[in-house]
Amino acid sequence: MPAQPLELILARQFGDSLNMPVFLVDTEGNLLFYNEPAEEIFGLRFNETGGMRLEEWATIFKPVDVDGNPLPPEGLPLVKTLTTRIPASGSFYIDNMKGERYFISVTSVPVIGRANRYSGAMAMFWKTASI
Amino acid sequence: MKVKIWGCRGSLPAPGPENVIYGGNTSCVQITHGDTFIVLDAGSGIQRLGKYMNPNVKEIHILLTHLHIDHMMGLGFFLPLYDPEVKVHIWGPDSGKESLLGNLRRYFSPPLFPVTFSELPHHPVIHELSQNTFSLGGLTIYTDYLCHPGATLGYRITDGKSTVAYIPDHELGLGSSNFPHDPEWTSGYEIAKAADLLLHDAAYNSKEYSTKIGWGHSSVRDTIGFAKMCKVKKLALFHHEPTRSDEQINHLLDTSLRNQDLDFEVIMCAEGDVFEF
């Protein structure tokens, strides 16, 4: 497997050092890394799952509205950022692998390095409440 | 391909009787392959290179890793720049904001230097690099950004048979995850993998590194771990601290290799070293 671009390596290091949930995706939306605080929201451990392809983690991370209805992917901040390469934010509920429901606020930013190299996106979460 | 070291000191020239084995000049490495003449970095070592190089060389490619002063302080003293029969190309990192030419002009102008580029017989040809693969003569060169403050490149140079990797300034401790077990998440891996010769930053011992995190350099221990992960054939430790004497550099190497079971050679790079492939 080729090495990741420096910007993603450093973004992972940054995320790993934060006490707020972070995850990092490549330009295709494949999940490259999530940190320890994000493990609680996912209900999974990164050391056990490693990175995940988009179709895999999309089945784990289920965004829903207040009534539990699935939200369309195109409305999610990270999907918007991957599509437009600009920051996005939003709040919604998610159901995780343990059957827990969290209300979270998400801000996502594109990872654009020197020479305008676009490498993916980083999402930071604020867990507002667990339901 | 022939590699000659004209300077491997880090940060500041360090001439003196205590530094005769490893030398006191800052980063400068000459690579020749047929008629192709490449100079990696323009530290103070480039002054002697310019003085003693083959006068028949008419085209020179200077590949700068970055623009910290120890990597370009010798540029204005490189005699071929003043020779109207020599064409000089300067390659260096795209910093994203200021152009490479603009950054170079900041050095090549008063009050730092009395001569400007426009006063040279030929304005050097400037080439900006990011993640690139390009050819010079029979050599293929791959570059990418590395973990070091400011835009910094590493160079991977191959003639199709042998590969030399040049990473003189690099902080492995920050530019990696789960080091040294995950090449995919290690800065510089694509530059160094399976190289026949890796010239790599090893400025500090482990204790020193713990007090200098974020300064952009690596410990000898981390660099040996990186070379092992990259499966290089030979590691030449580079960027010696200016305060480190020959005796101390020898001691650092001895202690770093103690209890190590390595299947590649590790040396402290010295001014005047020549490697041929």
Side-chain angles (χ1 to χ4, degrees), chain A residues 1-13 16 24 32-33 46 113-117, chain B residues 94-95 130-131 144-147 150-151 173-177 182-187 189-190:
Chain A
M1 172 109 31
Q4 297 291 348
L6 178 65
E7 302 81 58
L8 288 183
I9 293 172
L10 295 176
R12 173 174 170 169
Q13 286 285 73
D16 191 47
L24 189 63
L32 299 172
F33 173 72
F46 181 73
R114 290 193 170 98
N116 285 322
R117 177 162 68 175
Chain B
D94 177 344
S95 69
S130 51
Q131 184 191 34
D144 200 0
Y145 293 113
L146 299 168
C147 184
L174 287 186
S176 58
S177 294
D182 198 345
E184 183 189 352
W185 288 96
T186 302
S187 165
Y189 176 73
E190 295 294 332

Side-chain angles (χ1 to χ4, degrees), chain A:
Chain A
M1 172 109 31
Q4 297 291 348
L6 178 65
E7 302 81 58
L8 288 183
I9 293 172
L10 295 176
R12 173 174 170 169
Q13 286 285 73
F14 177 54
D16 191 47
S17 67
L18 295 180
N19 197 35
M20 64 180 78
V22 167
F23 65 76
L24 189 63
V25 298
D26 66 15
T27 55
E28 305 299 317
N30 298 309
L31 182 60
L32 299 172
F33 173 72
Y34 53 96
N35 67 359
E36 219 171 293
E39 291 178 347
E40 185 187 343
I41 292 179
F42 266 152
L44 294 169
R45 289 174 56 80
F46 181 73
N47 284 344
E48 293 167 4
T49 64
M52 286 184 264
R53 297 182 62 81
L54 174 62
E55 54 271 26
E56 188 181 358
W57 75 269
T59 64
I60 295 169
F61 185 82
K62 294 175 183 165
V64 294
D65 65 16
V66 65
D67 299 319
N69 302 312
L71 293 172
E74 59 271 19
L76 301 173
L78 190 55
V79 176
K80 283 184 188 171
T81 293
L82 287 170
T83 308
T84 62
R85 301 188 190 184
I86 58 174
S89 62
S91 299
F92 48 85
Y93 294 85
I94 66 154
D95 294 334
N96 75 5
M97 292 293 283
K98 293 180 180 173
E100 298 162 329
R101 177 166 293 181
Y102 291 102
F103 184 65
I104 59 171
S105 296
V106 180
T107 295
S108 58
V109 291
V111 178
I112 302 173
R114 290 193 170 98
N116 285 322
R117 177 162 68 175
Y118 171 56
S119 305
M122 190 175 194
M124 294 183 187
F125 294 66
W126 282 260
K127 187 179 69 174
T128 311
S130 56
I131 312 299

